[in-house]
Amino acid sequence: MENKKGIEKKKKEVIRLERESVIPILKPKLIMTLANLIEHGSDRTEFLKLCKRIEYTIRAWYLLQFEDLMQLYSLFDPVHGAKKLEQQNLSLEEIDVLEQNFLTYLFQVMDKSNFRIATDEEIDVAVSGQYLLNLPITVDESKLDRKLLSKYFTEHPLDNLPNFADKYIIFRRGIGIDHTTDYFFMEKVDMLIARIWAKLLKLTGLERLRSKLSKPRKQNQKIPTKDPKKNDDCNTEQDLDEFYVERIRIQNMEISLRNLLSKITIQEPTFDRIIVVYRRAGKKENPERGIHVKHFKNIPMADMEIVLPEKKNPGLTPMDWVKFLISAVVGLFAVFSSLQMPKGDMWVVVAILSTLIGYCAKTYFTFQQNLAVYQNLITRSMYDKQLDSGKGTLLHLCDDVIQQEVKEVIVSFFILMEQGKATRQDLDLRCEELIKEEFGESCNFDVDDAVQKLERLGIVSRDSIGRYYCVGLKRANEIIGITTEELVLKAKQGATTS
């Protein structure tokens, strides 16, 4: 993810993003649309039967792994996990092993669900702008455990981990767009004052001091780094899998009477899904064992701080205090100079003091308004944007894995059935083209995982030169065979008839 600011007249600000591997189409719609593309009715029936058998089989493959995941989480559920751990009478070493096993399963499910760990670079770009949240939000690190995730990443090292990975992890998936339309009067006034202030700082040479004092606002971030080898190898492929999303912010708008007095629409890209994993800090005599897993939806990138765990109460920034002090010094100096003049004009003194008091009051009330917006956003994130937490999130993830894998397998088999043999690259391209043409959606299709499962099912093979080909529909159904779910459905229908 990369930030690019245009230097054109429109001064557009766009973010470069990589396409996701998620197929953003509901499974029933996908299956019925593909089935309607098949000419013969008998083949259509066989295809629908095959889709069901593929889903039942893939679900059975993951059943044991998901049961282990849920069983392990029941021991580390922040609500009831402590009681269950007491009942097990496990040693500290055994508990450590179990919680690491849980994290291993969890990270595997995240990977299968196409969730990615948010990197420092992505977070830097995301929070580089402002949307609805205009307060600096930081995490109270003293309230977070450092041992759990540190131990996991020591045993399972990963590239490009964020610098807070020892305290909490943010997984993200999917990209969307959020629009907000309003007058934004206070924000517009703040923008005007900020631009005037920036010009004054530039003229007085205090801009360097400002940049030094504003650095601590990103104290939890470090300079992003990239893996040169990875970039060189994947350069061409990444160029094809990238797209751009525009940010429309108040800070970049053109100053005109119409813009200042009428409603405007601002726009911000969103993370479609975010999952945060962390553990609260405990005491030495009573260590905390609960693991929090929280699931959010449609979080604006610039406001993603609202999902951070154990947030500190926001206050005035160091830059705000500097503005207060400089304004006070300049105002008092002007008042003192006016009084020292032979014919000091009291109206000038009153005007200076009024301006100074007005500016300080404006800064204070802007902070109070931003604080109210922050509290409103936190409330909305709890009720509107938080999908679930704990066991509910894990159940959602497990089902999501199955849905994505089933869709990938069905699309790949359909392409081979309709268009014949294909290499891995051709199959990947054809699947993406099908999704674009029939559904108007773009994605980075995960062809490797799909063909691996098709081969495991025994309905796809490779010829002597490595091209993939599939068996016929009827033969594919015979190879998979009647599933347990079908037998149960037949038994239910028989019982209903009798």
Side-chain angles (χ1 to χ4, degrees), residues 1-2 15-22 110-111 113-123 126 169-176 243 270-277 294-296 299 301 304 307 397:
M1 189 160 62
E2 181 179 321
I15 299 177
R16 186 176 71 183
L17 303 161
E18 292 181 7
R19 297 196 186 279
E20 301 283 339
S21 298
V22 181
M110 289 292 188
D111 183 56
S113 295
N114 297 307
F115 275 90
R116 298 181 183 180
I117 295 176
T119 63
D120 277 319
E121 182 183 13
E122 291 170 344
I123 291 173
I169 283 292
I170 298 175
F171 293 91
R172 56 95 179 169
R173 190 188 73 186
I175 301 296
F243 67 103
T270 63
F271 289 122
D272 188 52
R273 294 290 183 270
I274 281 183
I275 291 178
V276 184
V277 180
K294 295 189 177 181
H295 194 183
F296 300 88
I299 301 297
M301 291 185 180
M304 71 175 296
V307 306
L397 280 172

Side-chain angles (χ1 to χ4, degrees), residues 318-331:
M319 195 60 212
D320 290 331
W321 287 111
V322 169
K323 288 179 183 179
F324 270 130
L325 291 173
I326 292 177
S327 301
V329 170
V330 171

Side-chain angles (χ1 to χ4, degrees), residues 146-153 165-169 277:
R146 294 171 181 262
K147 296 178 182 177
L148 176 70
L149 291 170
S150 296
K151 186 175 181 180
Y152 176 81
F153 289 121
D166 59 331
K167 297 174 283 292
Y168 58 94
I169 283 292
V277 180

Side-chain angles (χ1 to χ4, degrees), residues 24 27 43 53 85 189 206 249 282 298 330 338 342 345 419 446 458 461 485:
K27 187 193 65 188
D43 288 342
R53 290 186 174 180
L85 278 176
V189 171
L206 294 172
R249 302 192 290 146
N298 303 329
V330 171
S338 299
D345 192 346
Q419 300 183 19
D446 190 359
S461 303
E485 286 81 358

Side-chain angles (χ1 to χ4, degrees), residues 16 25 184 195 202 377 392 477:
R16 186 176 71 183
I25 306 153
F184 299 108
R195 291 191 185 182
K202 194 172 182 181
L377 284 173
N477 278 316

Side-chain angles (χ1 to χ4, degrees), residues 306-324:
I306 62 176
V307 306
L308 296 176
E310 302 300 329
K311 294 178 283 292
K312 292 180 180 178
N313 290 326
L316 288 172
T317 66
M319 195 60 212
D320 290 331
W321 287 111
V322 169
K323 288 179 183 179
F324 270 130

Side-chain angles (χ1 to χ4, degrees), residues 102 159 169 174 191 199 271 292 355 391 396-397 414-415 418 471:
F102 166 73
D159 295 330
I169 283 292
M191 177 268 296
K199 287 183 179 180
F271 289 122
H292 295 265
T355 304
K391 188 176 180 180
H396 179 86
L397 280 172
F414 180 85
I415 289 294
E418 291 292 310
V471 299

